[in-house]
Amino acid sequence: MRMLDAEVYRDALVGLGLHKIAHQDETLIDHMFRVCSILQHMKAAEHVRVAGLFHGVYGTEGLHNDDVESIPDSKRVEVRAVVGPEIEQMVFNFSVMSYASLGKSFRRVMRPNGLPELKDRRTGEDIPLDREQFLDLLRMKLGDVLAHLPPQVGHTVLDVPTEYAGFWRTAAEWLGPDEITTWNEFTEVTGGELWIDPEQNR
């Protein structure tokens, strides 16, 4: 797998002002680079890694919620010029999707021939996606969740065992061996309680 040189996008991200936005204990641009790095670790497809690098450019349900209500077309044009229309659409969908519909869609996709029902949280309308497009977004969000993990036990950034363990552990198991390996490495700070046995998932 060819490694993505994320640094080639830094000037574009700075131009969009992401280095000025605080994100917990760092800047949003630093967080987005870490998400991209985690997606590299998962061996995600290149378009998913680039989308992960830009995932917060419009805000999300959990970040700058009010700003997402009116994403200016001019900003979308600017992002599209950097990453292309398909990746920009992924980033847009990631920004406007409701987290509740992400969970519901994953449960549907786990069934044979099940299709996602991702919803735009601003309008309640369906976001048209096929299974593979949905799994790209799920993988992006898994990378985002892992990027929020604290670097050591006792940090208060995110209580993963309480808030996320069940759903995201299942998602990592379902997505595949590279996601399991990444999950196990990045959740070591929990003392092993979130460990996934790779042998049971072959």
Side-chain angles (χ1 to χ4, degrees), residues 12-18 21 28-29 31-32 50-60 63-64 67-68 71-72 75-76 78-80 83 87-88 90-92 94-95:
L13 291 166
V14 168
L16 290 163
L18 301 180
I21 300 173
L28 181 56
I29 196 170
H31 168 70
M32 286 164 45
V50 175
L53 184 61
F54 281 77
H55 79 275
V57 73
Y58 301 135
T60 63
L63 173 70
H64 309 303
D67 295 342
V68 184
I71 299 170
K75 190 166 189 179
R76 291 197 66 185
E78 197 175 347
V79 174
R80 208 174 288 134
V83 300
I87 293 175
E88 189 278 333
M90 282 180 65
V91 173
F92 179 81
F94 188 89
S95 296

Side-chain angles (χ1 to χ4, degrees), residues 92-189:
F92 179 81
N93 290 342
F94 188 89
S95 296
V96 301
M97 69 181 181
S98 80
Y99 290 168
S101 71
L102 180 75
K104 181 179 179 182
S105 292
F106 178 48
R107 289 188 291 274
R108 289 177 60 88
V109 167
M110 289 175 77
R111 301 182 202 132
N113 303 316
L115 295 174
E117 284 188 359
L118 205 63
K119 301 285 186 184
D120 186 324
R121 63 189 173 76
R122 306 166 307 165
T123 63
E125 294 177 0
D126 288 335
I127 298 174
L129 293 172
D130 61 28
R131 284 171 64 93
E132 288 306 312
Q133 291 169 325
F134 171 76
L135 292 177
D136 285 345
L137 291 180
L138 185 71
R139 199 169 271 110
M140 278 173 66
K141 186 59 188 171
L142 177 61
D144 182 39
V145 167
L146 290 174
H148 283 94
L149 275 168
Q152 69 277 332
V153 177
H155 201 286
T156 58
V157 170
L158 185 62
D159 182 3
V160 172
T162 302
E163 295 186 39
Y164 288 95
F167 179 84
W168 288 109
R169 189 175 185 274
T170 301
E173 286 180 296
W174 199 81
L175 284 167
D178 292 318
E179 288 79 9
I180 290 171
T181 299
T182 304
W183 173 268
N184 283 339
E185 182 172 319
F186 282 85
T187 60
E188 282 180 348
V189 293

